[in-house]
Amino acid sequence: MSAPKITVIGTGYLGATHAICMAVLGFDVLGVDVAQDKVDRLNAGQVPFFEPGLPELLVKALESGKLRFTTDYAEAGAFGDVHFVCVGTPQLAGSNAADLRYVESAVTALAPHLDRRVLVVGKSTVPVGTAARLTGLLRALAPAGEQVELAWNPEFLREGFAVEDTLRPDRLVFGVESQWAQDQLHTVFAPIIEQGSPVVITDLSTAELVKVAANSFLATKISYINAMAEVCEATGADVHQLAEALSYDSRIGGRFLRPGLGFGGGCLPKDIRAFAHRAEELGIGQAVAFLHEVDAINRRRRSRTVDLVRELAGGSLRGARIAALGAAFKPNSDDIRDAPALDVARMLQESGAKVRVYDPEALENARRAYPNLEYAHSTLDAARDADVVVLLTEWTEFREIDPAALGDVVAQRKVVDGRHALDPVAYRAAGWEYRALGRP
Ligand code: UDX
């Protein structure tokens, strides 16, 4: 059997990375997107977002002749043997549910061009039950009818580590309805499976659930340690030491146990909400009702961080000059979707503070989304004459600042470490008042 040709529909973080990596692995790949500007940029060798390592791989894949991008679904239908659906499923406006319009329109646009036996593979994060519904839609619209199969292959990549997570994933999950579909996926992922990534074969519903279950677990772990931080705040205990002590228990483990400002981004917040919403639709809301609490704890981190800045500013934020270090939802990303950092900056400003934001990569996105905030072009520029410095995203650049040099430009040496990323001993030695939630 010759190697299957692959299309990847949707060229955001997930799709662009998947398309590029599949081409680097040696497959012929066609990326599809409705946005002409994205397609043009990708064809010209430009990744439209910040992702370490990906621009080099895009150039390599384009040069090999194995990868190109189009807006034409007819071309995609003629080209592909395996079609990956990688479009976004954001939170629906005014609801906790996932907005499935992009998934539905991708399937609706592709199906009329499927006139032979092909496999369509969903990678997008969707509410359980979506794949079963899409199978009906696909077969009703495709000229090849029942010959078209749908599989689900959830994606677990982290922004900032997208290439690594795609080429060397912790596991692959194949939600399939036939041996043929399973064999197709095995062929497509053969280079990755050979390197040792385990494969779990499931039905469609289980595959859909694995993704939201994983993200719910991770979100719960972060909110758990942040809940412990609240207890520490009330008792004078130190959540940093508490987390370290917990982390040595191999049953608990130290990853995703970093306390601070909590989780944001394009996945964790909307995934736990969509999961809770779907469970309510299914009449089993109680089973995951704790996710509402996980969300509430997480949101509280943002307002508690604002409270701590207010305290350091002397009880009122009115007129206080605040240097906000960080805008991205996490370091090594320019993504500001549901970014805790910008939420805090916004709340500080709404309380009357003069906020200056600096981020190494996310300034452009931040400026577009929050045009009313003030932006600086460097850490020291943001910190100049500040009454309080607040660290909101733990970029290495911020961790490595010399507290004495930073102290030279501020009005007052007062710092709130929203991410538990700075060294309190070094800051205190340089004359700073250092505060972090959950640390005495
Ligand atoms: C997440 C999942 O990790 C990934 O598997 C899934 O495919 C998509 O969602 P991502 O959104 O890229 O990936 O970011 P991640 O590294 O998981 O961090 C999420 C948020 O949690 C960030 O805002 C981060 O700052 C925060 N976080 C993470 C903590 O507050 N504490 C931690 O210990 C870990």
Side-chain angles (χ1 to χ4, degrees):
M1 189 174 79
S2 61
K5 290 189 173 173
I6 294 172
T7 80
V8 178
I9 299 164
T11 60
Y13 281 98
L14 167 57
T17 309
H18 185 61
I20 293 166
C21 288
M22 282 293 145
V24 167
L25 290 175
F27 293 96
D28 284 311
V29 181
L30 181 63
V32 187
D33 204 292
V34 289
Q36 186 71 52
D37 60 321
K38 262 198 214 171
V39 164
D40 291 343
R41 286 183 71 178
L42 285 160
N43 275 328
Q46 291 167 14
V47 177
F49 48 85
F50 178 81
E51 183 59 46
L54 199 59
E56 295 82 346
L57 286 191
L58 172 61
V59 170
K60 188 174 156 189
L62 290 172
E63 279 171 0
S64 73
K66 297 249 166 220
L67 177 65
R68 65 200 163 79
F69 296 89
T70 183
T71 56
D72 186 353
Y73 272 96
E75 196 182 342
F79 180 91
D81 302 306
V82 178
H83 302 272
F84 284 98
V85 177
C86 297
V87 295
T89 51
Q91 188 173 335
L92 199 61
S95 161
N96 276 344
D99 184 350
L100 295 177
R101 84 177 81 171
Y102 305 110
V103 174
E104 277 155 12
S105 67
V107 166
T108 310
L110 177 69
H113 305 288
L114 303 178
D115 54 8
R116 60 198 159 90
R117 188 176 198 190
V118 294
L119 184 65
V120 177
V121 185
K123 266 191 168 300
S124 308
T125 303
V126 292
V128 58
T130 304
R133 192 162 55 75
L134 291 178
T135 303
L137 183 66
L138 201 55
R139 289 182 167 167
L141 296 176
E146 302 290 310
Q147 279 194 298
V148 176
E149 272 198 49
L150 183 68
W152 218 263
N153 165 233
E155 178 57 58
F156 305 96
L157 67 78
R158 297 160 298 166
E159 291 179 19
F161 300 91
V163 173
E164 172 73 15
D165 287 350
T166 303
L167 294 176
R168 275 170 290 278
D170 289 341
R171 78 300 214 179
L172 291 163
V173 177
F174 296 166
V176 290
E177 291 199 296
S178 75
Q179 186 62 44
W180 176 78
Q182 186 178 324
D183 293 345
Q184 290 289 103
L185 286 172
H186 260 276
T187 308
V188 168
F189 288 101
I192 291 170
I193 297 169
E194 278 157 21
Q195 283 180 21
S197 292
V199 182
V200 183
I201 308 290
T202 71
D203 54 28
L204 293 177
S205 316
T206 308
E208 292 171 312
L209 272 174
V210 174
K211 176 60 188 277
V212 284
N215 275 356
S216 296
F217 189 89
L218 295 171
T220 303
K221 206 172 169 191
I222 298 168
S223 276
Y224 176 82
I225 199 63
N226 282 331
M228 294 305 109
E230 288 189 22
V231 177
C232 288
E233 282 148 36
T235 55
D238 186 333
V239 72
H240 202 77
Q241 294 169 352
L242 178 73
E244 188 191 349
L246 290 178
S247 75
Y248 293 121
D249 186 326
S250 57
R251 295 168 302 177
I252 298 174
R255 295 176 74 187
F256 277 71
L257 208 61
R258 274 183 291 109
L261 196 44
F263 58 82
C267 291
L268 262 42
K270 63 107 176 155
D271 285 355
I272 61 168
R273 290 171 202 151
F275 191 16
H277 182 90
R278 182 66 183 137
E280 281 149 26
E281 278 177 359
L282 293 166
I284 46 149
Q286 241 182 355
V288 293
F290 68 93
L291 291 177
H292 293 297
E293 203 55 50
V294 167
D295 202 5
I297 293 166
N298 194 53
R299 282 194 242 233
R300 231 161 29 230
R301 304 313 287 166
R302 304 178 183 191
S303 48
R304 291 284 296 118
T305 300
V306 172
D307 292 344
L308 197 52
V309 177
R310 183 183 293 109
E311 208 180 302
L312 274 200
S316 167
L317 286 165
R318 198 145 297 282
R321 286 158 302 184
I322 311 296
L325 301 186
F329 85 103
K330 67 172 186 181
N332 298 316
S333 169
D334 66 354
D335 195 342
I336 55 148
R337 285 177 292 171
D338 210 332
L342 283 171
D343 216 12
V344 168
R346 174 190 61 79
M347 287 192 273
L348 288 167
Q349 193 190 42
E350 280 169 7
S351 303
K354 294 195 176 76
V355 186
R356 299 194 77 191
V357 182
Y358 173 67
D359 187 284
E361 291 294 338
L363 280 184
E364 210 180 299
N365 287 339
R367 207 177 261 124
R368 214 172 301 132
Y370 295 84
N372 295 331
L373 286 168
E374 205 182 312
Y375 294 95
H377 51 76
S378 70
T379 305
L380 292 184
D381 182 30
R384 205 166 309 283
D385 300 326
D387 298 312
V388 181
V389 174
V390 54
L391 179 97
L392 300 170
T393 312
E394 69 277 31
W395 286 93
T396 307
E397 179 176 328
F398 298 149
R399 290 171 181 273
E400 289 177 348
I401 304 169
D402 173 13
L406 190 63
D408 285 344
V409 304
V410 296
Q412 305 189 67
R413 296 190 176 199
K414 294 181 175 186
V415 64
V416 171
D417 182 0
R419 291 293 184 178
H420 293 221
L422 305 175
D423 179 0
V425 177
Y427 271 81
R428 286 182 180 136
W432 287 79
E433 188 177 350
Y434 170 97
R435 298 288 299 279
L437 288 175
R439 299 189 85 170

